[in-house]
Amino acid sequence: MADLYHILAAHDGREGPLLPILHDVQAAFGHVSEEAIRAIALHLNLSRAEVSGVVSFYHDFRRTPDPRTAIKLCRAESCQARGSEALAAEAERSAGSRVRVETVYCLGLCSVGPNAMIGEDLHARLDGAKVAALIGAM
Ligand code: FES
């Protein structure tokens, strides 16, 4: 937990530190554990319920580790209008238990959707075959 205390210290004095801390914890550990929630709450003088509520509210935060690589599919309006729902079904079929399929709402490429993100890479103008190929290469 030494890294956790470094993360907490790095945000000391910052206004509204909870979300940045949670993002850093998620990036460092791959999830936000109960132990981390307890330490964050204590450090920020919040209740564990307040911190847990924020962790639960945002889909990006996980309470348990999941070592699978993730593909993030945009299912916001513009991508929906361009077929993201069919794409999601194909992604789930192709992913099996090896790849995690996550939903995001807008990747900022609305005019060239449907879109997805793998790691830091954006993929635009997807169709079922392209998403299956992307997942196959993961
Ligand atoms: S709606 Fe999908 S990238 Fe904006």
Side-chain angles (χ1 to χ4, degrees):
M1 293 307 283
D3 285 345
L4 175 60
Y5 296 107
H6 284 113
I7 291 170
L8 292 171
H11 293 280
D12 275 346
R14 182 178 191 162
E15 197 166 319
L18 180 55
L19 281 176
I21 287 172
L22 290 173
H23 280 290
D24 287 354
V25 169
Q26 176 81 27
F29 301 104
H31 70 292
V32 183
S33 67
E34 282 303 314
E35 185 180 1
I37 289 172
R38 210 175 6 261
I40 293 166
L42 187 65
H43 190 79
L44 298 179
N45 197 27
L46 297 170
S47 71
R48 285 186 0 217
E50 288 172 296
V51 178
S52 286
V54 173
V55 171
S56 301
F57 183 80
Y58 293 101
H59 297 287
D60 269 356
F61 301 130
R62 309 186 59 76
R63 286 184 178 249
T64 55
D66 185 342
R68 295 177 298 169
T69 310
I71 180 169
K72 298 180 177 191
L73 293 177
C74 177
R75 294 172 86 170
E77 291 171 0
S78 183
C79 285
Q80 239 181 58
R82 294 167 182 260
S84 68
E85 293 308 307
L87 206 61
E90 180 57 42
E92 289 290 351
R93 254 193 310 279
S94 301
S97 59
R98 191 176 55 82
V99 172
R100 186 174 68 249
V101 178
E102 295 180 356
T103 295
V104 292
Y105 293 96
C106 201
L107 293 166
L109 298 170
C110 309
S111 64
V112 291
N115 303 310
M117 189 170 182
I118 301 171
E120 299 294 317
D121 298 327
L122 292 167
H123 301 273
R125 301 186 202 279
L126 294 175
D127 59 23
K130 287 178 183 172
V131 86
L134 282 173
I135 289 171
M138 291 172 70

